[in-house]
PDB file of all heavy atoms in Angstrom:
ATOM      1  N   LYS A 133      17.159  -0.760 -11.033  1.00  0.00           N
ATOM      2  CA  LYS A 133      16.700  -0.928 -12.401  1.00  0.00           C
ATOM      3  C   LYS A 133      16.275   0.393 -13.031  1.00  0.00           C
ATOM      4  O   LYS A 133      16.365   0.571 -14.241  1.00  0.00           O
ATOM      5  CB  LYS A 133      15.530  -1.918 -12.430  1.00  0.00           C
ATOM      6  CG  LYS A 133      15.892  -3.313 -11.929  1.00  0.00           C
ATOM      7  CD  LYS A 133      14.674  -4.207 -11.848  1.00  0.00           C
ATOM      8  CE  LYS A 133      15.032  -5.562 -11.265  1.00  0.00           C
ATOM      9  NZ  LYS A 133      13.828  -6.421 -11.098  1.00  0.00           N
ATOM     10  N   GLY A 134      15.779   1.309 -12.240  1.00  0.00           N
ATOM     11  CA  GLY A 134      15.316   2.587 -12.759  1.00  0.00           C
ATOM     12  C   GLY A 134      14.515   3.313 -11.711  1.00  0.00           C
ATOM     13  O   GLY A 134      14.375   2.847 -10.574  1.00  0.00           O
ATOM     14  N   ARG A 135      13.992   4.465 -12.078  1.00  0.00           N
ATOM     15  CA  ARG A 135      13.229   5.249 -11.120  1.00  0.00           C
ATOM     16  C   ARG A 135      11.906   4.566 -10.795  1.00  0.00           C
ATOM     17  O   ARG A 135      11.328   3.826 -11.621  1.00  0.00           O
ATOM     18  CB  ARG A 135      12.973   6.662 -11.650  1.00  0.00           C
ATOM     19  CG  ARG A 135      12.075   6.743 -12.858  1.00  0.00           C
ATOM     20  CD  ARG A 135      11.982   8.172 -13.372  1.00  0.00           C
ATOM     21  NE  ARG A 135      11.273   9.024 -12.439  1.00  0.00           N
ATOM     22  CZ  ARG A 135      10.092   9.587 -12.696  1.00  0.00           C
ATOM     23  NH1 ARG A 135       9.493   9.366 -13.859  1.00  0.00           N
ATOM     24  NH2 ARG A 135       9.517  10.364 -11.811  1.00  0.00           N
ATOM     25  N   VAL A 136      11.435   4.794  -9.596  1.00  0.00           N
ATOM     26  CA  VAL A 136      10.154   4.241  -9.143  1.00  0.00           C
ATOM     27  C   VAL A 136       9.327   5.420  -8.649  1.00  0.00           C
ATOM     28  O   VAL A 136       9.399   5.803  -7.481  1.00  0.00           O
ATOM     29  CB  VAL A 136      10.356   3.195  -8.024  1.00  0.00           C
ATOM     30  CG1 VAL A 136       9.018   2.558  -7.660  1.00  0.00           C
ATOM     31  CG2 VAL A 136      11.353   2.130  -8.452  1.00  0.00           C
ATOM     32  N   ALA A 137       8.555   6.001  -9.541  1.00  0.00           N
ATOM     33  CA  ALA A 137       7.763   7.178  -9.196  1.00  0.00           C
ATOM     34  C   ALA A 137       6.614   6.799  -8.275  1.00  0.00           C
ATOM     35  O   ALA A 137       5.974   5.747  -8.452  1.00  0.00           O
ATOM     36  CB  ALA A 137       7.225   7.842 -10.458  1.00  0.00           C
ATOM     37  N   GLY A 138       6.339   7.659  -7.312  1.00  0.00           N
ATOM     38  CA  GLY A 138       5.211   7.405  -6.418  1.00  0.00           C
ATOM     39  C   GLY A 138       3.899   7.320  -7.170  1.00  0.00           C
ATOM     40  O   GLY A 138       3.022   6.513  -6.826  1.00  0.00           O
ATOM     41  N   SER A 139       3.745   8.137  -8.222  1.00  0.00           N
ATOM     42  CA  SER A 139       2.513   8.095  -9.008  1.00  0.00           C
ATOM     43  C   SER A 139       2.381   6.767  -9.740  1.00  0.00           C
ATOM     44  O   SER A 139       1.257   6.269  -9.930  1.00  0.00           O
ATOM     45  CB  SER A 139       2.493   9.258 -10.008  1.00  0.00           C
ATOM     46  OG  SER A 139       3.658   9.261 -10.814  1.00  0.00           O
ATOM     47  N   ASP A 140       3.509   6.162 -10.143  1.00  0.00           N
ATOM     48  CA  ASP A 140       3.450   4.858 -10.806  1.00  0.00           C
ATOM     49  C   ASP A 140       3.060   3.760  -9.822  1.00  0.00           C
ATOM     50  O   ASP A 140       2.341   2.816 -10.180  1.00  0.00           O
ATOM     51  CB  ASP A 140       4.790   4.526 -11.447  1.00  0.00           C
ATOM     52  CG  ASP A 140       5.061   5.344 -12.705  1.00  0.00           C
ATOM     53  OD1 ASP A 140       4.095   5.921 -13.254  1.00  0.00           O
ATOM     54  OD2 ASP A 140       6.231   5.417 -13.128  1.00  0.00           O
ATOM     55  N   VAL A 141       3.558   3.859  -8.594  1.00  0.00           N
ATOM     56  CA  VAL A 141       3.170   2.876  -7.577  1.00  0.00           C
ATOM     57  C   VAL A 141       1.675   2.971  -7.303  1.00  0.00           C
ATOM     58  O   VAL A 141       0.972   1.945  -7.229  1.00  0.00           O
ATOM     59  CB  VAL A 141       3.974   3.107  -6.272  1.00  0.00           C
ATOM     60  CG1 VAL A 141       3.457   2.206  -5.157  1.00  0.00           C
ATOM     61  CG2 VAL A 141       5.461   2.865  -6.510  1.00  0.00           C
ATOM     62  N   PHE A 142       1.172   4.191  -7.167  1.00  0.00           N
ATOM     63  CA  PHE A 142      -0.262   4.383  -6.922  1.00  0.00           C
ATOM     64  C   PHE A 142      -1.076   3.847  -8.102  1.00  0.00           C
ATOM     65  O   PHE A 142      -2.109   3.188  -7.907  1.00  0.00           O
ATOM     66  CB  PHE A 142      -0.556   5.868  -6.719  1.00  0.00           C
ATOM     67  CG  PHE A 142      -1.963   6.162  -6.256  1.00  0.00           C
ATOM     68  CD1 PHE A 142      -2.272   6.128  -4.907  1.00  0.00           C
ATOM     69  CD2 PHE A 142      -2.960   6.461  -7.164  1.00  0.00           C
ATOM     70  CE1 PHE A 142      -3.562   6.383  -4.469  1.00  0.00           C
ATOM     71  CE2 PHE A 142      -4.249   6.716  -6.737  1.00  0.00           C
ATOM     72  CZ  PHE A 142      -4.555   6.681  -5.384  1.00  0.00           C
ATOM     73  N   GLU A 143      -0.597   4.104  -9.318  1.00  0.00           N
ATOM     74  CA  GLU A 143      -1.306   3.621 -10.499  1.00  0.00           C
ATOM     75  C   GLU A 143      -1.311   2.102 -10.569  1.00  0.00           C
ATOM     76  O   GLU A 143      -2.320   1.486 -10.943  1.00  0.00           O
ATOM     77  CB  GLU A 143      -0.654   4.204 -11.763  1.00  0.00           C
ATOM     78  CG  GLU A 143      -1.367   3.866 -13.056  1.00  0.00           C
ATOM     79  CD  GLU A 143      -2.709   4.558 -13.196  1.00  0.00           C
ATOM     80  OE1 GLU A 143      -3.075   5.383 -12.328  1.00  0.00           O
ATOM     81  OE2 GLU A 143      -3.415   4.257 -14.183  1.00  0.00           O
ATOM     82  N   ALA A 144      -0.191   1.470 -10.191  1.00  0.00           N
ATOM     83  CA  ALA A 144      -0.133   0.015 -10.177  1.00  0.00           C
ATOM     84  C   ALA A 144      -1.114  -0.559  -9.166  1.00  0.00           C
ATOM     85  O   ALA A 144      -1.779  -1.575  -9.427  1.00  0.00           O
ATOM     86  CB  ALA A 144       1.289  -0.453  -9.863  1.00  0.00           C
ATOM     87  N   LEU A 145      -1.230   0.079  -8.005  1.00  0.00           N
ATOM     88  CA  LEU A 145      -2.197  -0.360  -7.008  1.00  0.00           C
ATOM     89  C   LEU A 145      -3.624  -0.201  -7.522  1.00  0.00           C
ATOM     90  O   LEU A 145      -4.484  -1.065  -7.299  1.00  0.00           O
ATOM     91  CB  LEU A 145      -2.022   0.456  -5.718  1.00  0.00           C
ATOM     92  CG  LEU A 145      -0.802   0.144  -4.862  1.00  0.00           C
ATOM     93  CD1 LEU A 145      -0.572   1.263  -3.860  1.00  0.00           C
ATOM     94  CD2 LEU A 145      -0.971  -1.187  -4.144  1.00  0.00           C
ATOM     95  N   ARG A 146      -3.874   0.903  -8.211  1.00  0.00           N
ATOM     96  CA  ARG A 146      -5.221   1.156  -8.707  1.00  0.00           C
ATOM     97  C   ARG A 146      -5.623   0.187  -9.809  1.00  0.00           C
ATOM     98  O   ARG A 146      -6.776  -0.275  -9.855  1.00  0.00           O
ATOM     99  CB  ARG A 146      -5.324   2.587  -9.242  1.00  0.00           C
ATOM    100  CG  ARG A 146      -6.729   2.991  -9.677  1.00  0.00           C
ATOM    101  CD  ARG A 146      -6.767   4.389 -10.226  1.00  0.00           C
ATOM    102  NE  ARG A 146      -6.108   4.487 -11.513  1.00  0.00           N
ATOM    103  CZ  ARG A 146      -6.703   4.168 -12.672  1.00  0.00           C
ATOM    104  NH1 ARG A 146      -7.943   3.714 -12.684  1.00  0.00           N
ATOM    105  NH2 ARG A 146      -6.039   4.300 -13.795  1.00  0.00           N
ATOM    106  N   ARG A 147      -4.676  -0.173 -10.666  1.00  0.00           N
ATOM    107  CA  ARG A 147      -5.011  -0.973 -11.840  1.00  0.00           C
ATOM    108  C   ARG A 147      -4.970  -2.472 -11.594  1.00  0.00           C
ATOM    109  O   ARG A 147      -5.441  -3.250 -12.422  1.00  0.00           O
ATOM    110  CB  ARG A 147      -4.077  -0.588 -12.994  1.00  0.00           C
ATOM    111  CG  ARG A 147      -4.362   0.830 -13.492  1.00  0.00           C
ATOM    112  CD  ARG A 147      -3.262   1.389 -14.358  1.00  0.00           C
ATOM    113  NE  ARG A 147      -3.079   0.656 -15.593  1.00  0.00           N
ATOM    114  CZ  ARG A 147      -2.196   1.016 -16.533  1.00  0.00           C
ATOM    115  NH1 ARG A 147      -1.440   2.079 -16.350  1.00  0.00           N
ATOM    116  NH2 ARG A 147      -2.079   0.307 -17.632  1.00  0.00           N
ATOM    117  N   ARG A 148      -4.420  -2.886 -10.482  1.00  0.00           N
ATOM    118  CA  ARG A 148      -4.413  -4.324 -10.214  1.00  0.00           C
ATOM    119  C   ARG A 148      -5.747  -4.743  -9.619  1.00  0.00           C
ATOM    120  O   ARG A 148      -6.473  -3.932  -9.053  1.00  0.00           O
ATOM    121  CB  ARG A 148      -3.272  -4.665  -9.257  1.00  0.00           C
ATOM    122  CG  ARG A 148      -3.468  -4.085  -7.862  1.00  0.00           C
ATOM    123  CD  ARG A 148      -2.848  -4.973  -6.853  1.00  0.00           C
ATOM    124  NE  ARG A 148      -2.865  -4.538  -5.498  1.00  0.00           N
ATOM    125  CZ  ARG A 148      -3.921  -4.258  -4.757  1.00  0.00           C
ATOM    126  NH1 ARG A 148      -5.117  -4.246  -5.287  1.00  0.00           N
ATOM    127  NH2 ARG A 148      -3.815  -3.956  -3.496  1.00  0.00           N
ATOM    128  N   PRO A 149      -6.118  -6.025  -9.733  1.00  0.00           N
ATOM    129  CA  PRO A 149      -7.375  -6.487  -9.137  1.00  0.00           C
ATOM    130  C   PRO A 149      -7.320  -6.368  -7.623  1.00  0.00           C
ATOM    131  O   PRO A 149      -6.239  -6.336  -7.036  1.00  0.00           O
ATOM    132  CB  PRO A 149      -7.454  -7.965  -9.562  1.00  0.00           C
ATOM    133  CG  PRO A 149      -6.512  -8.098 -10.702  1.00  0.00           C
ATOM    134  CD  PRO A 149      -5.422  -7.103 -10.463  1.00  0.00           C
ATOM    135  N   PRO A 150      -8.465  -6.280  -6.958  1.00  0.00           N
ATOM    136  CA  PRO A 150      -8.474  -6.243  -5.488  1.00  0.00           C
ATOM    137  C   PRO A 150      -7.744  -7.442  -4.914  1.00  0.00           C
ATOM    138  O   PRO A 150      -7.891  -8.558  -5.403  1.00  0.00           O
ATOM    139  CB  PRO A 150      -9.960  -6.270  -5.142  1.00  0.00           C
ATOM    140  CG  PRO A 150     -10.641  -5.738  -6.353  1.00  0.00           C
ATOM    141  CD  PRO A 150      -9.821  -6.200  -7.524  1.00  0.00           C
ATOM    142  N   PHE A 151      -6.917  -7.211  -3.903  1.00  0.00           N
ATOM    143  CA  PHE A 151      -6.181  -8.307  -3.291  1.00  0.00           C
ATOM    144  C   PHE A 151      -7.108  -9.061  -2.346  1.00  0.00           C
ATOM    145  O   PHE A 151      -7.691  -8.473  -1.437  1.00  0.00           O
ATOM    146  CB  PHE A 151      -4.973  -7.768  -2.520  1.00  0.00           C
ATOM    147  CG  PHE A 151      -3.997  -8.839  -2.110  1.00  0.00           C
ATOM    148  CD1 PHE A 151      -2.977  -9.207  -2.959  1.00  0.00           C
ATOM    149  CD2 PHE A 151      -4.126  -9.488  -0.903  1.00  0.00           C
ATOM    150  CE1 PHE A 151      -2.071 -10.202  -2.594  1.00  0.00           C
ATOM    151  CE2 PHE A 151      -3.240 -10.482  -0.525  1.00  0.00           C
ATOM    152  CZ  PHE A 151      -2.210 -10.835  -1.380  1.00  0.00           C
ATOM    153  N   SER A 152      -7.235 -10.375  -2.565  1.00  0.00           N
ATOM    154  CA  SER A 152      -8.134 -11.215  -1.747  1.00  0.00           C
ATOM    155  C   SER A 152      -9.545 -10.622  -1.724  1.00  0.00           C
ATOM    156  O   SER A 152     -10.202 -10.589  -0.685  1.00  0.00           O
ATOM    157  CB  SER A 152      -7.583 -11.369  -0.321  1.00  0.00           C
ATOM    158  OG  SER A 152      -6.311 -11.971  -0.343  1.00  0.00           O
ATOM    159  N   ASN A 153      -9.986 -10.146  -2.891  1.00  0.00           N
ATOM    160  CA  ASN A 153     -11.334  -9.563  -3.046  1.00  0.00           C
ATOM    161  C   ASN A 153     -11.555  -8.356  -2.144  1.00  0.00           C
ATOM    162  O   ASN A 153     -12.685  -8.049  -1.760  1.00  0.00           O
ATOM    163  CB  ASN A 153     -12.407 -10.626  -2.766  1.00  0.00           C
ATOM    164  CG  ASN A 153     -12.356 -11.750  -3.777  1.00  0.00           C
ATOM    165  OD1 ASN A 153     -12.187 -11.499  -4.969  1.00  0.00           O
ATOM    166  ND2 ASN A 153     -12.484 -12.976  -3.308  1.00  0.00           N
ATOM    167  N   ARG A 154     -10.479  -7.669  -1.800  1.00  0.00           N
ATOM    168  CA  ARG A 154     -10.597  -6.494  -0.951  1.00  0.00           C
ATOM    169  C   ARG A 154      -9.826  -5.336  -1.560  1.00  0.00           C
ATOM    170  O   ARG A 154      -8.635  -5.443  -1.804  1.00  0.00           O
ATOM    171  CB  ARG A 154     -10.058  -6.791   0.446  1.00  0.00           C
ATOM    172  CG  ARG A 154     -10.192  -5.623   1.423  1.00  0.00           C
ATOM    173  CD  ARG A 154      -9.617  -5.997   2.791  1.00  0.00           C
ATOM    174  NE  ARG A 154      -9.748  -4.909   3.748  1.00  0.00           N
ATOM    175  CZ  ARG A 154      -8.909  -3.890   3.825  1.00  0.00           C
ATOM    176  NH1 ARG A 154      -7.879  -3.822   3.009  1.00  0.00           N
ATOM    177  NH2 ARG A 154      -9.090  -2.922   4.726  1.00  0.00           N
ATOM    178  N   ARG A 155     -10.531  -4.236  -1.810  1.00  0.00           N
ATOM    179  CA  ARG A 155      -9.870  -3.042  -2.328  1.00  0.00           C
ATOM    180  C   ARG A 155      -9.271  -2.245  -1.170  1.00  0.00           C
ATOM    181  O   ARG A 155      -9.880  -2.127  -0.096  1.00  0.00           O
ATOM    182  CB  ARG A 155     -10.873  -2.173  -3.096  1.00  0.00           C
ATOM    183  CG  ARG A 155     -11.524  -2.878  -4.265  1.00  0.00           C
ATOM    184  CD  ARG A 155     -12.666  -2.055  -4.840  1.00  0.00           C
ATOM    185  NE  ARG A 155     -12.172  -0.878  -5.561  1.00  0.00           N
ATOM    186  CZ  ARG A 155     -12.956   0.103  -5.982  1.00  0.00           C
ATOM    187  NH1 ARG A 155     -14.275   0.065  -5.745  1.00  0.00           N
ATOM    188  NH2 ARG A 155     -12.450   1.129  -6.637  1.00  0.00           N
ATOM    189  N   LEU A 156      -8.074  -1.700  -1.374  1.00  0.00           N
ATOM    190  CA  LEU A 156      -7.463  -0.868  -0.347  1.00  0.00           C
ATOM    191  C   LEU A 156      -8.165   0.483  -0.309  1.00  0.00           C
ATOM    192  O   LEU A 156      -8.390   1.115  -1.334  1.00  0.00           O
ATOM    193  CB  LEU A 156      -5.971  -0.665  -0.648  1.00  0.00           C
ATOM    194  CG  LEU A 156      -5.081  -1.905  -0.666  1.00  0.00           C
ATOM    195  CD1 LEU A 156      -3.624  -1.498  -0.815  1.00  0.00           C
ATOM    196  CD2 LEU A 156      -5.265  -2.720   0.598  1.00  0.00           C
ATOM    197  N   ARG A 157      -8.495   0.923   0.896  1.00  0.00           N
ATOM    198  CA  ARG A 157      -9.241   2.162   1.068  1.00  0.00           C
ATOM    199  C   ARG A 157      -8.268   3.332   1.227  1.00  0.00           C
ATOM    200  O   ARG A 157      -7.386   3.309   2.083  1.00  0.00           O
ATOM    201  CB  ARG A 157     -10.158   2.043   2.283  1.00  0.00           C
ATOM    202  CG  ARG A 157     -11.309   1.048   2.066  1.00  0.00           C
ATOM    203  CD  ARG A 157     -12.050   0.729   3.363  1.00  0.00           C
ATOM    204  NE  ARG A 157     -12.439   1.924   4.099  1.00  0.00           N
ATOM    205  CZ  ARG A 157     -13.492   2.681   3.808  1.00  0.00           C
ATOM    206  NH1 ARG A 157     -14.262   2.358   2.764  1.00  0.00           N
ATOM    207  NH2 ARG A 157     -13.792   3.740   4.536  1.00  0.00           N
ATOM    208  N   VAL A 158      -8.454   4.368   0.392  1.00  0.00           N
ATOM    209  CA  VAL A 158      -7.527   5.495   0.332  1.00  0.00           C
ATOM    210  C   VAL A 158      -8.189   6.765   0.864  1.00  0.00           C
ATOM    211  O   VAL A 158      -9.321   7.093   0.477  1.00  0.00           O
ATOM    212  CB  VAL A 158      -7.043   5.728  -1.112  1.00  0.00           C
ATOM    213  CG1 VAL A 158      -6.088   6.924  -1.175  1.00  0.00           C
ATOM    214  CG2 VAL A 158      -6.367   4.477  -1.659  1.00  0.00           C
ATOM    215  N   PHE A 159      -7.462   7.481   1.719  1.00  0.00           N
ATOM    216  CA  PHE A 159      -7.913   8.775   2.225  1.00  0.00           C
ATOM    217  C   PHE A 159      -6.973   9.842   1.675  1.00  0.00           C
ATOM    218  O   PHE A 159      -5.751   9.743   1.793  1.00  0.00           O
ATOM    219  CB  PHE A 159      -7.882   8.796   3.757  1.00  0.00           C
ATOM    220  CG  PHE A 159      -8.531  10.004   4.373  1.00  0.00           C
ATOM    221  CD1 PHE A 159      -9.825   9.937   4.869  1.00  0.00           C
ATOM    222  CD2 PHE A 159      -7.845  11.217   4.469  1.00  0.00           C
ATOM    223  CE1 PHE A 159     -10.430  11.049   5.441  1.00  0.00           C
ATOM    224  CE2 PHE A 159      -8.442  12.331   5.030  1.00  0.00           C
ATOM    225  CZ  PHE A 159      -9.738  12.250   5.515  1.00  0.00           C
ATOM    226  N   PHE A 160      -7.554  10.892   1.070  1.00  0.00           N
ATOM    227  CA  PHE A 160      -6.768  11.982   0.509  1.00  0.00           C
ATOM    228  C   PHE A 160      -6.754  13.156   1.491  1.00  0.00           C
ATOM    229  O   PHE A 160      -7.808  13.672   1.870  1.00  0.00           O
ATOM    230  CB  PHE A 160      -7.351  12.436  -0.830  1.00  0.00           C
ATOM    231  CG  PHE A 160      -7.300  11.384  -1.907  1.00  0.00           C
ATOM    232  CD1 PHE A 160      -8.420  10.614  -2.203  1.00  0.00           C
ATOM    233  CD2 PHE A 160      -6.126  11.161  -2.614  1.00  0.00           C
ATOM    234  CE1 PHE A 160      -8.368   9.646  -3.189  1.00  0.00           C
ATOM    235  CE2 PHE A 160      -6.072  10.189  -3.604  1.00  0.00           C
ATOM    236  CZ  PHE A 160      -7.185   9.427  -3.895  1.00  0.00           C
ATOM    237  N   PHE A 161      -5.547  13.589   1.858  1.00  0.00           N
ATOM    238  CA  PHE A 161      -5.402  14.679   2.833  1.00  0.00           C
ATOM    239  C   PHE A 161      -4.574  15.801   2.219  1.00  0.00           C
ATOM    240  O   PHE A 161      -3.389  15.630   1.935  1.00  0.00           O
ATOM    241  CB  PHE A 161      -4.718  14.164   4.100  1.00  0.00           C
ATOM    242  CG  PHE A 161      -4.560  15.200   5.177  1.00  0.00           C
ATOM    243  CD1 PHE A 161      -5.669  15.678   5.869  1.00  0.00           C
ATOM    244  CD2 PHE A 161      -3.313  15.693   5.519  1.00  0.00           C
ATOM    245  CE1 PHE A 161      -5.528  16.631   6.877  1.00  0.00           C
ATOM    246  CE2 PHE A 161      -3.155  16.646   6.518  1.00  0.00           C
ATOM    247  CZ  PHE A 161      -4.273  17.116   7.197  1.00  0.00           C
ATOM    248  N   GLY A 162      -5.201  16.948   2.002  1.00  0.00           N
ATOM    249  CA  GLY A 162      -4.496  18.095   1.458  1.00  0.00           C
ATOM    250  C   GLY A 162      -4.789  18.311  -0.013  1.00  0.00           C
ATOM    251  O   GLY A 162      -5.835  17.913  -0.526  1.00  0.00           O
ATOM    252  N   GLY A 163      -3.860  18.953  -0.694  1.00  0.00           N
ATOM    253  CA  GLY A 163      -4.045  19.277  -2.104  1.00  0.00           C
ATOM    254  C   GLY A 163      -4.671  20.653  -2.281  1.00  0.00           C
ATOM    255  O   GLY A 163      -5.148  21.278  -1.331  1.00  0.00           O
ATOM    256  N   ARG A 164      -4.684  21.106  -3.522  1.00  0.00           N
ATOM    257  CA  ARG A 164      -5.279  22.409  -3.801  1.00  0.00           C
ATOM    258  C   ARG A 164      -6.790  22.341  -3.648  1.00  0.00           C
ATOM    259  O   ARG A 164      -7.370  21.248  -3.564  1.00  0.00           O
ATOM    260  CB  ARG A 164      -4.880  22.864  -5.207  1.00  0.00           C
ATOM    261  CG  ARG A 164      -5.480  22.048  -6.324  1.00  0.00           C
ATOM    262  CD  ARG A 164      -4.837  22.412  -7.655  1.00  0.00           C
ATOM    263  NE  ARG A 164      -3.494  21.856  -7.754  1.00  0.00           N
ATOM    264  CZ  ARG A 164      -2.545  22.376  -8.513  1.00  0.00           C
ATOM    265  NH1 ARG A 164      -2.778  23.482  -9.200  1.00  0.00           N
ATOM    266  NH2 ARG A 164      -1.369  21.799  -8.578  1.00  0.00           N
ATOM    267  N   ASP A 165      -7.449  23.487  -3.621  1.00  0.00           N
ATOM    268  CA  ASP A 165      -8.888  23.550  -3.386  1.00  0.00           C
ATOM    269  C   ASP A 165      -9.646  22.626  -4.333  1.00  0.00           C
ATOM    270  O   ASP A 165      -9.505  22.716  -5.554  1.00  0.00           O
ATOM    271  CB  ASP A 165      -9.396  24.983  -3.574  1.00  0.00           C
ATOM    272  CG  ASP A 165      -8.975  25.898  -2.434  1.00  0.00           C
ATOM    273  OD1 ASP A 165      -8.563  25.369  -1.389  1.00  0.00           O
ATOM    274  OD2 ASP A 165      -9.052  27.141  -2.602  1.00  0.00           O
ATOM    275  N   GLY A 166     -10.438  21.747  -3.767  1.00  0.00           N
ATOM    276  CA  GLY A 166     -11.292  20.868  -4.544  1.00  0.00           C
ATOM    277  C   GLY A 166     -10.627  19.622  -5.064  1.00  0.00           C
ATOM    278  O   GLY A 166     -11.324  18.691  -5.500  1.00  0.00           O
ATOM    279  N   ALA A 167      -9.284  19.538  -5.028  1.00  0.00           N
ATOM    280  CA  ALA A 167      -8.595  18.400  -5.632  1.00  0.00           C
ATOM    281  C   ALA A 167      -8.808  17.111  -4.845  1.00  0.00           C
ATOM    282  O   ALA A 167      -9.008  16.047  -5.432  1.00  0.00           O
ATOM    283  CB  ALA A 167      -7.101  18.693  -5.752  1.00  0.00           C
ATOM    284  N   ALA A 168      -8.755  17.181  -3.505  1.00  0.00           N
ATOM    285  CA  ALA A 168      -8.906  15.969  -2.703  1.00  0.00           C
ATOM    286  C   ALA A 168     -10.288  15.349  -2.895  1.00  0.00           C
ATOM    287  O   ALA A 168     -10.423  14.130  -3.056  1.00  0.00           O
ATOM    288  CB  ALA A 168      -8.667  16.276  -1.226  1.00  0.00           C
ATOM    289  N   GLN A 169     -11.317  16.182  -2.909  1.00  0.00           N
ATOM    290  CA  GLN A 169     -12.663  15.665  -3.126  1.00  0.00           C
ATOM    291  C   GLN A 169     -12.800  15.100  -4.529  1.00  0.00           C
ATOM    292  O   GLN A 169     -13.413  14.037  -4.723  1.00  0.00           O
ATOM    293  CB  GLN A 169     -13.700  16.764  -2.900  1.00  0.00           C
ATOM    294  CG  GLN A 169     -15.138  16.264  -3.069  1.00  0.00           C
ATOM    295  CD  GLN A 169     -16.164  17.339  -2.802  1.00  0.00           C
ATOM    296  OE1 GLN A 169     -15.819  18.500  -2.565  1.00  0.00           O
ATOM    297  NE2 GLN A 169     -17.442  16.972  -2.825  1.00  0.00           N
TER     298      GLN A 169
END
Side-chain angles (χ1 to χ4, degrees):
K133 299 174 184 176
R135 66 185 292 246
V136 185
S139 54
D140 287 343
V141 173
F142 189 86
E143 185 70 5
L145 287 165
R146 185 181 70 83
R147 292 165 64 177
R148 67 149 176 59
F151 192 89
S152 300
N153 296 318
R154 182 181 181 278
R155 301 171 72 190
L156 298 187
R157 291 169 50 79
V158 179
F159 189 99
F160 296 99
F161 182 70
R164 68 190 74 206
D165 287 344
Q169 182 178 4

